[in-house]
Structure formats: C-alpha cells, structure tokens
Amino acid sequence: MNYRNDSLEKEFKENGFVVLKNILNSDEINIAREQLSGIFMETSHKKWWSSSVNLANCLAFYPHLSWVALNHKIIQGVMSVLGDRDITFVNVFGIQKNMLSGWHRDDGTGDLNSDGSYFGKVDMLNDSLKCVRVAIYLQNHNKKYPGLYVKSRSHLKRTKLDKGYECLKLSVGDVVIFDVRLVHSGTFRSKISQYILKNTKGRLNLYLKVISDLIRKIFLSFRPPKFSIFLVYGLNNTHTSTYGLNMMRNQQSLSGGETYLPEQITKKFKKIGIKTVDYHR
C-alpha cells in the first residue's frame, strides 16, 4: 500500500485536519446509508421524543459495519497524514443521527488544561501524540447545512474553544481526518439555532431533558437527516494505547456493553498489517 504523501502530511501537521475527496464510492455510500438507517430504526423507539441518536462502541454490536474501518482508502489516508504505515485501530467506532455538538476536542480535555486527557498526564503539545479521528458524512454539507466546523491549528496550542472557525464544505463520499486535539463543532452557527440549542439543554431533571429534546426535534425536523460515522486510528505507540483504553472506558459508559473488538474483526485488521489495542490486559 503506497501511503507516502508529503503534501498531505504537511497540511495535516500545520492545520490539524485534511479533507480527502471522493473516498467512498456511490455503492459504498448507499450501503452505509442502508445499514445506518436500519440500526437507527431499531434504536429510535428507545427515545421517541428525540430525533438524535448517538451510538458508541458499534463494532461490538454491529460487526457488519467493520468494512468501513477496513476501507483501504481510509487506511491509506491515515497512514499518509501520520507519515507512517505502523498504525493502530483504536476500536473507537461511533455512528450518529442528527447529533449537534458544541465546541470540544476529542482528547478528553477541557478548555485550556489537560485535566481528564485520554492520553493521561502528558504534555498535550507532545509531537508523539498522534491519534486521529476519521469523520464520514453521508450527505453534502456547506454553510447553509453545516456538518463540521473546525478551528485550524488549534491542535498546536491550548486556546479558547470558540474563537475563530471555518465551516468545511463537504460532498457525500468525502472523509475528514483530524487530530483528536483539534477544536471542532458539529452544530449550526446561526444566532437563532444557537439560541435554541444553547437554551434547551434540560440540565435539571429528566422532565426538562425530554422537553429539551422535543424542542430540538421540532427544530431539526425542518432539515434533512444528518448521518455520520466516526472512528479513530493512531500511530502505534504507548500514547495511542493509553488513549484507546481510556476512550473505550468512556464508550462503555455510553453503550453499556462489551468493549472488546470481536476476534473476527481483529483478524481482518491483522491480515492487512493493522494493529488493534488489546483491552484484555
């Protein structure tokens, strides 16, 4: 597998993200939509008052989705941005429908400090922290119908989360690879939608949470469904293993189920030379 792409690696190091165009073909897009639609139909009744679905640890429950993580174009892209073929699949695989998130990083840290980092107590600007999140959106996105906002170069400094950003213009089939330390958001930036989403979070009890979700459901009903897939790879080192172990604990709390990667999927990764994190230790 030819993974070297110096310009792509340089762009990723500087900006903290890259957009890879036309990674999934039309057949793969249709298969992914069909598979996710089926899963969402199975789970949506559990929260009838909400249009949002966020499922973590999916390969433990839906192993038929593993073809996405094993996609050779995605793996080649990860190798290219990391500048190395010795990579690990971290067993982070999530699917979402109509999820709207505020500004955050995927490294477990807060605004300006490293408390709670999935990497442990390390310098968050350490060059050897090389974990990337792969984001796949199954519809087009632009400023009118945004999918992902990023703050370029925010992986290189611990800055305030909501200062300066850009909306990525994405076509269905595109893949975004970004550093887990990059500040990003998956919500809408208009003043009206921001007010609705900010002031309907139901923090006090279940009753308010249901009301909050109903309001958000009505708001989202005027927009097409937003399907997305997220997975994580990293350079094969101790930092990646630590990140994976801590991230999986978080995923287990969300899914309430098994965290181990099914053996048949582990063997498929091994067959193509990709390591996986061992959660049995």
Side-chain angles (χ1 to χ4, degrees), residues 70-120:
L70 292 160
N71 182 284
H72 73 280
K73 289 185 179 180
I74 292 176
I75 290 174
Q76 182 174 339
V78 171
M79 290 179 174
S80 295
V81 300
L82 293 178
D84 202 312
R85 66 169 64 248
D86 189 16
I87 66 171
T88 296
F89 176 64
V90 182
N91 192 13
V92 173
F93 193 113
I95 61 175
Q96 298 180 349
K97 175 186 177 183
N98 291 339
M99 286 298 297
L100 305 176
S101 60
W103 292 110
H104 65 285
R105 308 175 197 266
D106 288 333
D107 58 12
T109 67
D111 203 346
L112 297 173
N113 58 70
S114 59
D115 293 342
S117 168
Y118 296 136
F119 289 107

Side-chain angles (χ1 to χ4, degrees), residues 45-251:
H45 68 279
K46 296 178 181 179
K47 290 178 63 178
W48 59 266
W49 61 88
S50 174
S51 64
S52 299
V53 181
N54 181 23
L55 300 177
N57 192 24
C58 287
L59 293 188
F61 301 99
Y62 311 106
H64 61 285
L65 295 175
S66 63
W67 68 268
V68 178
L70 292 160
N71 182 284
H72 73 280
K73 289 185 179 180
I74 292 176
I75 290 174
Q76 182 174 339
V78 171
M79 290 179 174
S80 295
V81 300
L82 293 178
D84 202 312
R85 66 169 64 248
D86 189 16
I87 66 171
T88 296
F89 176 64
V90 182
N91 192 13
V92 173
F93 193 113
I95 61 175
Q96 298 180 349
K97 175 186 177 183
N98 291 339
M99 286 298 297
L100 305 176
S101 60
W103 292 110
H104 65 285
R105 308 175 197 266
D106 288 333
D107 58 12
T109 67
D111 203 346
L112 297 173
N113 58 70
S114 59
D115 293 342
S117 168
Y118 296 136
F119 289 107
K121 294 183 178 180
V122 298
D123 178 3
M124 294 305 294
L125 300 181
N126 188 326
D127 287 339
S128 60
L129 303 184
K130 293 189 175 182
C131 282
V132 299
R133 177 157 291 224
V134 176
I136 304 167
Y137 295 93
L138 300 180
Q139 57 282 315
N140 298 327
H141 287 291
N142 51 45
K143 287 186 177 180
K144 290 185 178 180
Y145 182 49
L148 183 65
Y149 288 88
V150 298
K151 184 175 181 183
S152 182
R153 302 177 62 83
S154 57
H155 65 305
L156 300 175
K157 50 189 175 181
R158 310 306 287 182
T159 57
K160 290 289 184 181
L161 296 183
D162 58 351
K163 300 294 183 181
Y165 54 82
E166 61 180 291
C167 177
L168 299 186
K169 185 177 181 180
L170 305 172
S171 298
V172 60
D174 294 349
V175 168
V176 185
I177 302 178
F178 60 91
D179 192 304
V180 296
R181 298 170 294 176
L182 189 78
V183 178
H184 60 285
S185 172
T187 191
F188 306 113
R189 312 276 7 129
S190 72
K191 291 183 178 179
I192 295 177
S193 60
Q194 282 294 291
Y195 179 84
I196 292 174
L197 297 173
K198 182 178 180 181
N199 291 280
T200 59
K201 289 186 177 179
R203 301 180 181 87
L204 298 181
N205 54 42
L206 178 61
Y207 174 76
L208 288 181
K209 182 66 171 63
V210 171
I211 296 299
S212 163
D213 285 344
L214 279 171
I215 294 174
R216 292 157 72 97
K217 182 176 183 178
I218 293 170
F219 171 74
L220 289 168
S221 67
F222 293 97
R223 295 176 177 271
K226 177 184 176 183
F227 284 9
S228 49
I229 304 172
F230 298 96
L231 45 159
V232 177
Y233 302 84
L235 196 64
N236 183 37
N237 60 28
T238 56
H239 295 305
T240 295
S241 295
T242 300
Y243 179 93
L245 290 168
N246 289 323
M247 187 63 170
M248 283 308 299
R249 292 190 184 101
N250 178 63
Q251 285 209 108

